[in-house]
Amino acid sequence: MHAPQVPESSRIRFRCKARTRWSDEDNQNVLNNAVYMTLLEEARHAYFQKLGLLDGRHFPFLLAQTNIRFVAPGKGGVEVELEVITTRLGTSSVEQSYRVRDGAAVWCEAQAVLVIYDPVRKRSAPMAPSFRQAVEAFEGLA
Amino acid sequence: MHAPQVPESSRIRFRCKARTRWSDEDNQNVLNNAVYMTLLEEARHAYFQKLGLLDGRHFPFLLAQTNIRFVAPGKGGVEVELEVITTRLGTSSVEQSYRVRDGAAVWCEAQAVLVIYDPVRKRSAPMAPSFRQAVEAFEGLA
Amino acid sequence: MHAPQVPESSRIRFRCKARTRWSDEDNQNVLNNAVYMTLLEEARHAYFQKLGLLDGRHFPFLLAQTNIRFVAPGKGGVEVELEVITTRLGTSSVEQSYRVRDGAAVWCEAQAVLVIYDPVRKRSAPMAPSFRQAVEAFEGLA
Amino acid sequence: MHAPQVPESSRIRFRCKARTRWSDEDNQNVLNNAVYMTLLEEARHAYFQKLGLLDGRHFPFLLAQTNIRFVAPGKGGVEVELEVITTRLGTSSVEQSYRVRDGAAVWCEAQAVLVIYDPVRKRSAPMAPSFRQAVEAFEGLA
């Protein structure tokens, strides 16, 4: 199984913060694995919101796949940094990499494939040129 | 990004059921992605419990990595089938594949790497021979 | 603070089952308090579904208030019984009582006030006569 | 059913902030009711932490009962204020009132009874004088 590929933090342009909750810990006294999915979701939304691509409650994409490597145990009650970078734009897909850290301690690294989605026709749709340009401009992609 | 490799259902020996909750749906009216992690966790525990390897509340493993492909939107209030198969046993690791389905409709497929863990020394530990034998016997692995 | 009033189980006509999840436990090794709200929600929906009053995804009511008494610590991985009884029907409100039990062990008792709600006008609405009759018939209320 | 009694905000000395998550919304597009329990839990822990009464992971109390009134629909992605006040100290119990607000908009009001708990003997215990004094001093209680 291939580990998720995540560029080093110095190359990642977007970061935001989130706070873990006491109840995010499970009976093993560490952040439950499912909570990382929620943190990555929050990071993803903050990223697209910053780029002006999150139109209120209408999400233009679906999560098609995610590969997460759990590096160190997380804890509740911590303000963590969430790093997000778009690494590739396809015809109707977006590949991103993420990192969750508590200061120098990396909790997890992940990759995801998002698919641009038409909720009316309930199927994937080509990426709008404006969407592509906004991401390319932010990330400095060709 | 490689898709998770999951054997076809006819080759998977372990299956169990779980019920999705109404509140497992988010504001996109489908099962929130994080909930799949919870369903896979339930399946994993049921698997090791059936093999007699889950000693009460002491978990002998940690989830090191998981790769999940979301195939079709899930819904709350559904009794789903969860399929689990161990595909490889390492010195201190376990590779598993999973499938979540609502009858013929596959909702997601996933792979995971679990690491045998010593909670006292807080580090990975070699797999106990009894653990290895129990899994090999169940799965018909060499 | 008044404790919730819940009739004894022998007087409650509706019951259903639900399974608690491993991750429903928090770092105190008992069912997290918020999970009870989710279990009561599942019970409430099953109740109205049985009475034919849950029209797909359109919920005719909102939870206005709930009073929950936590009687004994809950655990994950348990199939619990959920008891629901409607104790009073107002012009646009419904009062219910609930009990969550693991066999003879009562985990919690609760009361709630639901308000019949018009989601279009975003305000409370009078209870439809058919709704009132269905509940009265089931519970043997005047 | 009695509504929870919560002093007006000008009389409440403790407040903190929390951020709601996108996935805290359910398929009715509002904050799921169970999430309020989590927010109140976060507020409660922040309160006792500020008073120096939260000894790491050892919680000296259990939630015995809570009465919550849902005032206005909540949303994900909002930084809310959480107000907490202790209104009464018993021999081994603590009564608190809470308010969750988004600026001027009150989302919910609640009361709770906490019981001082001995986790070793698994039963309620008398309140330590130092605990009582810390709360009385903070709240200006006799």
Coordinates of all heavy atoms in Angstrom, one line a residue, chain D residues 32-83:
Chain D
N32 N -26.9 19.6 14.3 CA -27.6 18.4 14.9 C -27.7 18.6 16.4 O -26.8 19.1 17.0 CB -26.9 17.1 14.5 CG -27.6 15.9 15.1 OD1 -27.3 15.4 16.1 ND2 -28.6 15.5 14.3
N33 N -28.9 18.2 16.9 CA -29.1 18.4 18.4 C -28.0 17.8 19.3 O -27.6 18.4 20.3 CB -30.5 17.9 18.8 CG -31.6 18.6 18.1 OD1 -32.4 18.0 17.5 ND2 -31.7 19.9 18.3
A34 N -27.5 16.7 18.9 CA -26.4 16.1 19.7 C -25.2 16.9 19.8 O -24.5 16.9 20.8 CB -26.1 14.7 19.2
V35 N -24.9 17.7 18.8 CA -23.7 18.6 18.8 C -23.7 19.6 19.9 O -22.7 19.9 20.5 CB -23.5 19.3 17.4 CG1 -22.4 20.3 17.5 CG2 -23.3 18.3 16.3
Y36 N -24.9 20.0 20.3 CA -25.0 21.0 21.4 C -24.5 20.4 22.7 O -23.8 21.0 23.5 CB -26.5 21.4 21.7 CG -27.0 22.3 20.5 CD1 -27.6 21.8 19.4 CD2 -26.7 23.7 20.6 CE1 -28.1 22.6 18.4 CE2 -27.2 24.5 19.6 CZ -27.8 24.0 18.5 OH -28.2 24.8 17.5
M37 N -24.7 19.1 22.9 CA -24.2 18.4 24.1 C -22.7 18.5 24.1 O -22.0 18.6 25.1 CB -24.6 16.9 24.1 CG -26.1 16.7 24.3 SD -26.5 16.6 26.1 CE -25.7 15.1 26.6
T38 N -22.1 18.3 22.9 CA -20.6 18.4 22.8 C -20.1 19.8 23.0 O -19.1 20.0 23.7 CB -20.2 17.9 21.3 OG1 -20.6 16.6 21.2 CG2 -18.7 18.0 21.1
L39 N -20.8 20.8 22.5 CA -20.4 22.2 22.8 C -20.5 22.5 24.3 O -19.6 23.1 24.9 CB -21.3 23.1 22.0 CG -21.2 23.1 20.5 CD1 -22.2 24.0 19.8 CD2 -19.8 23.4 20.0
L40 N -21.6 22.0 25.0 CA -21.7 22.3 26.4 C -20.6 21.6 27.2 O -20.1 22.1 28.2 CB -23.1 21.8 26.9 CG -24.3 22.5 26.3 CD1 -25.6 22.0 26.8 CD2 -24.2 24.0 26.5
E41 N -20.2 20.4 26.7 CA -19.2 19.6 27.3 C -17.8 20.4 27.2 O -17.1 20.5 28.2 CB -19.1 18.3 26.6 CG -18.2 17.2 27.1 CD -18.3 15.9 26.3 OE1 -17.9 15.9 25.2 OE2 -18.8 14.9 26.9
E42 N -17.6 20.9 26.0 CA -16.4 21.7 25.8 C -16.4 22.9 26.8 O -15.3 23.3 27.4 CB -16.3 22.2 24.4 CG -16.0 21.1 23.3 CD -14.6 20.6 23.4 OE1 -13.6 21.4 23.3 OE2 -14.5 19.4 23.6
A43 N -17.5 23.6 26.9 CA -17.6 24.8 27.7 C -17.4 24.4 29.2 O -16.7 25.1 29.9 CB -19.0 25.4 27.6
R44 N -18.0 23.3 29.6 CA -17.8 22.8 31.0 C -16.4 22.5 31.3 O -15.8 22.9 32.4 CB -18.7 21.5 31.1 CG -18.8 20.9 32.5 CD -19.8 19.7 32.4 NE -21.1 20.1 31.9 CZ -21.7 19.4 30.9 NH1 -21.2 18.3 30.4 NH2 -22.9 19.8 30.5
H45 N -15.7 21.9 30.4 CA -14.3 21.6 30.6 C -13.4 22.8 30.6 O -12.5 23.0 31.5 CB -13.8 20.6 29.5 CG -14.4 19.2 29.7 ND1 -14.2 18.2 28.8 CD2 -15.2 18.7 30.6 CE1 -14.9 17.2 29.1 NE2 -15.5 17.4 30.2
A46 N -13.7 23.8 29.7 CA -13.0 25.0 29.7 C -13.2 25.8 31.1 O -12.2 26.4 31.6 CB -13.4 25.9 28.6
Y47 N -14.4 25.7 31.6 CA -14.7 26.4 32.8 C -13.9 25.8 34.0 O -13.2 26.6 34.7 CB -16.2 26.2 33.1 CG -16.7 26.7 34.4 CD1 -17.3 28.0 34.5 CD2 -16.7 26.0 35.6 CE1 -17.8 28.5 35.7 CE2 -17.2 26.5 36.8 CZ -17.8 27.8 36.8 OH -18.3 28.2 38.0
F48 N -13.9 24.5 34.1 CA -13.2 23.9 35.2 C -11.7 24.0 35.0 O -10.9 24.0 36.0 CB -13.6 22.4 35.5 CG -15.0 22.3 36.1 CD1 -16.1 21.9 35.4 CD2 -15.2 22.7 37.4 CE1 -17.3 21.8 36.0 CE2 -16.4 22.7 38.0 CZ -17.5 22.2 37.3
Q49 N -11.2 24.0 33.8 CA -9.8 24.2 33.5 C -9.4 25.5 34.0 O -8.3 25.7 34.6 CB -9.6 24.0 32.0 CG -8.2 23.6 31.6 CD -8.1 22.8 30.3 OE1 -8.9 23.0 29.4 NE2 -7.2 21.8 30.2
K50 N -10.2 26.6 33.6 CA -9.8 27.9 34.0 C -9.7 28.0 35.6 O -8.9 28.8 36.1 CB -10.9 28.9 33.5 CG -10.6 30.4 33.9 CD -11.7 31.3 33.5 CE -11.4 32.7 34.0 NZ -10.4 33.4 33.2
L51 N -10.6 27.3 36.3 CA -10.6 27.4 37.7 C -9.5 26.5 38.3 O -9.4 26.3 39.5 CB -12.0 27.0 38.3 CG -12.9 28.1 38.5 CD1 -13.2 28.9 37.3 CD2 -14.2 27.5 39.1
G52 N -8.7 25.8 37.4 CA -7.6 24.9 37.9 C -8.1 23.6 38.5 O -7.5 23.0 39.3
L53 N -9.4 23.2 38.2 CA -10.0 22.1 38.8 C -10.0 20.9 37.9 O -10.5 19.8 38.2 CB -11.4 22.4 39.2 CG -11.5 23.5 40.3 CD1 -13.0 23.9 40.6 CD2 -10.8 23.1 41.6
L54 N -9.4 21.0 36.7 CA -9.4 19.9 35.8 C -8.0 19.3 35.8 O -7.1 19.8 35.1 CB -9.8 20.3 34.4 CG -10.6 19.3 33.6 CD1 -11.8 18.8 34.3 CD2 -11.0 19.9 32.2
D55 N -7.8 18.3 36.5 CA -6.5 17.7 36.7 C -6.1 16.8 35.5 O -6.4 15.6 35.6 CB -6.5 16.9 38.1 CG -5.4 15.9 38.2 OD1 -4.4 15.9 37.4 OD2 -5.5 15.0 39.0
G56 N -5.6 17.4 34.5 CA -5.2 16.6 33.3 C -6.4 15.8 32.8 O -7.4 16.4 32.4
R57 N -6.4 14.5 32.8 CA -7.4 13.7 32.2 C -8.4 13.2 33.2 O -9.3 12.5 32.9 CB -6.9 12.6 31.3 CG -6.4 13.3 30.1 CD -5.4 13.1 29.3 NE -5.4 14.2 28.4 CZ -6.4 14.4 27.4 NH1 -7.4 13.6 27.3 NH2 -6.4 15.4 26.6
H58 N -8.1 13.5 34.5 CA -9.0 12.9 35.5 C -10.1 13.9 35.8 O -9.9 15.0 36.3 CB -8.1 12.7 36.8 CG -8.9 12.5 38.0 ND1 -9.6 11.3 38.2 CD2 -9.1 13.2 39.1 CE1 -10.2 11.3 39.4 NE2 -10.0 12.5 40.0
F59 N -11.3 13.5 35.4 CA -12.5 14.3 35.7 C -13.1 14.0 37.0 O -13.5 12.9 37.2 CB -13.5 14.1 34.5 CG -13.0 14.5 33.2 CD1 -12.7 13.6 32.2 CD2 -12.7 15.9 33.0 CE1 -12.2 14.0 31.0 CE2 -12.2 16.3 31.7 CZ -11.9 15.4 30.8
P60 N -13.3 15.0 37.8 CA -13.8 14.8 39.2 C -15.3 14.7 39.2 O -15.9 14.6 40.3 CB -13.3 15.9 40.0 CG -13.2 17.1 39.0 CD -12.8 16.4 37.7
F61 N -16.0 14.8 38.0 CA -17.4 14.8 38.0 C -18.0 14.0 36.9 O -17.3 13.7 35.9 CB -18.0 16.3 38.0 CG -17.4 17.0 36.8 CD1 -18.0 16.9 35.5 CD2 -16.3 17.9 36.9 CE1 -17.5 17.5 34.4 CE2 -15.8 18.5 35.8 CZ -16.4 18.4 34.5
L62 N -19.3 13.7 37.0 CA -20.1 13.0 36.0 C -21.3 13.9 35.7 O -21.8 14.6 36.6 CB -20.6 11.7 36.5 CG -19.9 10.4 36.5 CD1 -20.8 9.3 36.9 CD2 -19.2 10.1 35.2
L63 N -21.8 13.9 34.5 CA -23.0 14.6 34.1 C -24.2 13.7 34.5 O -24.3 12.6 34.0 CB -23.0 14.9 32.6 CG -24.3 15.6 32.1 CD1 -24.4 16.9 32.7 CD2 -24.2 15.7 30.6
A64 N -25.0 14.1 35.5 CA -26.1 13.4 36.0 C -27.4 13.7 35.2 O -28.2 12.8 35.0 CB -26.3 13.6 37.5
Q65 N -27.6 14.9 34.8 CA -28.8 15.3 34.2 C -28.6 16.6 33.4 O -27.8 17.4 33.8 CB -29.9 15.5 35.2 CG -31.3 15.8 34.6 CD -32.3 16.0 35.6 OE1 -32.2 15.6 36.8 NE2 -33.4 16.7 35.3
T66 N -29.2 16.7 32.3 CA -29.2 18.0 31.5 C -30.5 18.3 30.9 O -31.2 17.4 30.4 CB -28.0 18.0 30.5 OG1 -27.9 19.3 29.9 CG2 -28.3 17.0 29.4
N67 N -30.9 19.5 30.9 CA -32.1 20.0 30.4 C -31.8 21.1 29.4 O -31.2 22.1 29.7 CB -33.0 20.6 31.5 CG -34.4 20.9 31.0 OD1 -34.8 20.7 29.9 ND2 -35.2 21.5 32.0
I68 N -32.1 20.9 28.1 CA -31.6 21.8 27.0 C -32.8 22.3 26.2 O -33.7 21.5 25.8 CB -30.7 21.0 26.0 CG1 -29.6 20.3 26.8 CG2 -30.1 22.0 25.0 CD1 -28.7 19.5 25.8
R69 N -32.9 23.6 26.1 CA -33.9 24.2 25.2 C -33.2 24.7 24.0 O -32.3 25.5 24.1 CB -34.6 25.4 26.0 CG -35.8 26.0 25.2 CD -36.6 26.9 26.1 NE -35.9 28.2 26.3 CZ -36.1 29.3 25.6 NH1 -36.9 29.3 24.6 NH2 -35.4 30.4 25.9
F70 N -33.7 24.3 22.8 CA -33.2 24.7 21.5 C -33.9 25.9 21.1 O -35.1 25.9 20.8 CB -33.3 23.5 20.6 CG -32.6 22.3 21.0 CD1 -33.3 21.3 21.7 CD2 -31.2 22.2 20.9 CE1 -32.6 20.2 22.2 CE2 -30.5 21.1 21.4 CZ -31.2 20.1 22.0
V71 N -33.2 27.0 21.0 CA -33.9 28.3 20.8 C -34.0 28.7 19.3 O -35.0 29.2 18.8 CB -33.2 29.4 21.6 CG1 -33.8 30.8 21.4 CG2 -33.1 29.1 23.1
A72 N -32.8 28.5 18.6 CA -32.8 28.9 17.2 C -31.8 27.9 16.5 O -30.9 27.4 17.2 CB -32.2 30.3 17.1
P73 N -32.1 27.7 15.2 CA -31.2 26.7 14.5 C -29.8 27.2 14.4 O -29.5 28.3 14.2 CB -31.9 26.7 13.1 CG -32.7 27.9 13.0 CD -33.1 28.3 14.4
G74 N -28.9 26.2 14.7 CA -27.5 26.5 14.6 C -26.9 26.1 13.3 O -27.6 25.5 12.5
K75 N -25.7 26.6 13.0 CA -25.1 26.3 11.7 C -23.6 25.9 11.9 O -23.0 26.2 12.9 CB -25.1 27.6 10.8 CG -26.5 28.2 10.5 CD -27.3 27.2 9.7 CE -26.9 27.1 8.3 NZ -27.8 26.1 7.5
G76 N -23.1 25.2 10.9 CA -21.7 24.8 10.9 C -20.8 26.0 10.5 O -21.3 26.9 9.9
G77 N -19.5 25.9 10.8 CA -18.6 27.0 10.4 C -18.8 28.3 11.1 O -18.4 29.4 10.6
V78 N -19.3 28.3 12.3 CA -19.5 29.5 13.1 C -18.7 29.5 14.4 O -18.7 28.4 15.0 CB -21.0 29.7 13.4 CG1 -21.3 30.9 14.3 CG2 -21.9 29.8 12.2
E79 N -18.1 30.6 14.7 CA -17.5 30.7 16.0 C -18.5 31.2 17.0 O -19.0 32.3 16.9 CB -16.3 31.6 16.0 CG -15.4 31.5 17.3 CD -14.1 32.3 17.2 OE1 -14.2 33.5 17.2 OE2 -13.1 31.6 17.2
V80 N -18.9 30.3 17.9 CA -19.9 30.6 18.9 C -19.3 31.0 20.2 O -18.2 30.6 20.5 CB -21.0 29.5 19.1 CG1 -21.8 29.3 17.8 CG2 -20.3 28.2 19.5
E81 N -20.1 31.7 21.0 CA -19.7 32.0 22.4 C -20.5 31.0 23.3 O -21.7 30.8 23.1 CB -20.1 33.4 22.9 CG -19.3 34.5 22.2 CD -20.2 35.2 21.2 OE1 -21.3 35.6 21.6 OE2 -19.7 35.4 20.0
L82 N -19.8 30.5 24.3 CA -20.4 29.5 25.2 C -20.2 30.2 26.6 O -19.2 30.5 27.1 CB -19.6 28.2 25.2 CG -19.4 27.5 23.9 CD1 -18.4 26.4 24.0 CD2 -20.7 27.1 23.3
E83 N -21.4 30.4 27.3 CA -21.4 31.0 28.6 C -21.7 29.9 29.6 O -22.6 29.0 29.4 CB -22.5 32.0 28.7 CG -22.3 33.1 27.7 CD -23.5 34.1 27.6 OE1 -24.6 33.8 28.2 OE2 -23.4 35.2 27.0

